[in-house]
Amino acid sequence: MKILMINLILSGDNAIVIAMASRNLRQDLKQKAIVWGTLGAVIFRIAFTVIVMYLLKLPFIHLIGGILLLFVAYKLLVDKEAEENSVKVGNSLKEAIVIIIFADVLMSLDNVLGIVAVSEGNMMLVIVGIILSIPIMLFASQFILRMMEHFPIVVYFGAGLLAWTAGEMMLEEEFIKQHVISGTSMELALLIGIIMATLSIGGYQRRYR
């Protein structure tokens, strides 16, 4: 469920890339660009995820990954509007597919970090998470974007979920484990503190930016 929610919340920008990159094509070519572009993006995302899972074996990577995921949660709150005009438009089927694939690779770090953090190294969960991202990118993302525009609580919920996942990821770091005993009230307090700090700072920036 956490993987599903993270995919739903974070696939909105990817959906915009797909829609904008193929908008100048004929309807029949547009469908092909969307399908082949998405499949190509997913293949690259799988490779990206395998690399990230390998890197998590290195020291302090859990801590760095958790901090990056916290930044993703913050950006989700602060960035009110998607920058649709900044997305390049493809004028041929091949060009649109290439734009979709490479833009998704550049934009998928947040999805990959979220899935890897939740899966805790379980490759089966990672595969399920990436497979779930296919229909979400194709169909559900536009709906979630509209929900986020009309109901800000969805954005706060998504940011809170990401902050919780980031906190769990950071607590997996060996250096932090030595100072925080797993399963204690201290661990829970730290997680709640991370969530509250992220939502407070991000929410303030969102309101007054």
Side-chain angles (χ1 to χ4, degrees), residues 79-95:
D79 293 343
K80 292 184 181 181
E81 298 178 358
E83 297 179 359
E84 296 189 12
N85 294 329
S86 65
V87 180
K88 189 177 179 183
V89 179
N91 295 311
S92 67
L93 177 61
K94 182 179 178 181
E95 187 178 354

Side-chain angles (χ1 to χ4, degrees), residues 3-209:
I3 288 175
L4 177 60
M5 292 305 301
I6 286 172
N7 267 317
L8 282 171
I9 295 296
L10 293 180
S11 290
D13 51 1
N14 306 74
I16 290 174
V17 167
I18 292 171
M20 299 299 290
S22 59
R23 67 181 175 179
N24 281 356
L25 301 178
R26 298 196 317 264
Q27 190 59 37
D28 58 331
L29 294 180
K30 185 179 296 185
Q31 294 301 321
K32 289 181 181 179
I34 290 172
V35 171
W36 288 108
T38 301
L39 289 176
V42 167
I43 290 171
F44 276 94
R45 190 177 293 193
I46 291 172
F48 197 8
T49 305
V50 171
I51 293 171
V52 171
M53 290 186 72
Y54 172 76
L55 290 175
L56 285 178
K57 297 176 183 178
L58 301 175
F60 296 107
I61 294 296
H62 279 91
L63 180 61
I64 295 169
I67 293 171
L68 286 174
L69 204 52
L70 272 181
F71 182 70
V72 170
Y74 169 78
K75 289 285 286 180
L76 182 65
L77 285 168
V78 173
D79 293 343
K80 292 184 181 181
E81 298 178 358
E83 297 179 359
E84 296 189 12
N85 294 329
S86 65
V87 180
K88 189 177 179 183
V89 179
N91 295 311
S92 67
L93 177 61
K94 182 179 178 181
E95 187 178 354
I97 291 173
V98 170
I99 291 170
I100 290 171
I101 291 174
F102 281 97
D104 183 82
V105 169
L106 293 174
M107 297 165 67
S108 64
L109 178 60
D110 50 3
N111 303 67
V112 170
L113 279 173
I115 292 172
V116 170
V118 171
S119 68
E120 297 180 355
N122 187 323
M123 183 58 74
M124 183 58 68
L125 282 178
V126 169
I127 293 171
V128 170
I130 293 173
I131 291 173
L132 281 173
S133 71
I134 299 174
I136 289 170
M137 285 172 62
L138 288 175
F139 306 112
S141 296
Q142 295 292 346
F143 171 73
I144 295 299
L145 278 173
R146 294 190 196 100
M147 289 285 290
M148 290 167 68
E149 288 172 4
H150 292 93
F151 303 101
I153 189 67
V154 176
V155 179
Y156 283 89
F157 173 80
L161 177 61
L162 286 171
W164 179 276
T165 304
E168 289 182 328
M169 194 175 191
M170 288 188 286
L171 289 174
E172 285 296 312
E173 183 61 52
E174 223 27 73
F175 174 79
I176 295 179
K177 276 185 175 180
Q178 294 175 4
H179 299 86
V180 180
I181 303 174
S182 181
T184 63
S185 56
M186 174 67 77
E187 183 176 346
L188 181 61
L190 280 173
L191 286 173
I192 293 174
I194 289 171
I195 294 170
M196 295 304 294
T198 303
L199 294 180
S200 298
I201 296 171
Y204 178 84
Q205 291 290 328
R206 179 183 179 84
R207 187 174 302 175
Y208 297 106
R209 186 173 177 175

